[in-house]
Amino acid sequence: MRVVSGTKKGLALKAVPGTTTRPTTDKVKESIYNIIGPYFEGGLGLDLFGGSGGLGIEALSRGLDKFIFVDRDGKAIQTIKTNLATCGFEDQAEVYRNDADRALKAILKRELQFDLILLDPPYKAQKLKALIEFISEASLLTSTGKIVCEHDKGVSLPETIGTYERTKAEIYGITAITIYEPAQTEQAEEE
């Protein structure tokens, strides 16, 4: 596992010890960022299931200003911190041990909006639709932001969830990537 592109291209990242997480492969990571970027001019990101931190670190390497990582697993939190230190991104990141639902409620109190939200829950405990509905209701995504969902290819997500519409869906082996963006209003389309 490595940083695929950007300022930290080629740096090796550690995986979370054990079998409780499955890191996103470099091929899938590169595909995700080719779809949504590939580079950013600043912005704020959030990963609610941080794992090793690889996807968020990739976003920092590609130009996001700051990233918030959340994971409920202590080994994952330590791995994220180690990988951030390897890349010199400690000052651009916040790392919290928490579950996704409680983390979203804490973020809501801070009145933050994100340019990129990564959702990669454990395949056996899918709750993507509910998470995206909460993100929509709380307006946690900027008007040009994107939500990237990584899930089992057998999981089919709806065209729209809350105020967001599916703009891309790709399958890579057993992994599927679904991307949501704020739905375009008719007025915005006329401009």
Side-chain angles (χ1 to χ4, degrees), residues 73-86:
D73 183 296
K75 290 178 188 172
I77 293 299
Q78 193 52 51
T79 303
I80 292 167
K81 289 179 178 179
T82 299
N83 286 334
L84 287 167
T86 296

Side-chain angles (χ1 to χ4, degrees), residues 16-92:
V16 179
T19 58
T20 56
T21 64
R22 54 178 164 64
T24 302
T25 65
D26 289 346
K27 177 187 173 199
V28 172
K29 190 183 335 178
E30 186 170 20
S31 296
I32 288 170
Y33 284 98
N34 283 342
I35 294 167
I36 66 168
Y39 298 99
F40 305 96
E41 293 182 18
L44 177 62
L46 171 67
D47 190 342
L48 287 173
F49 303 90
S52 67
L55 279 174
I57 287 170
E58 187 71 32
L60 289 169
S61 181
R62 291 172 183 251
L64 272 190
D65 293 322
K66 188 166 183 166
F67 218 92
I68 296 174
F69 296 90
V70 176
D71 204 293
R72 64 181 184 199
D73 183 296
K75 290 178 188 172
I77 293 299
Q78 193 52 51
T79 303
I80 292 167
K81 289 179 178 179
T82 299
N83 286 334
L84 287 167
T86 296
C87 296
F89 284 144
E90 302 100 322
D91 293 342
Q92 291 176 258

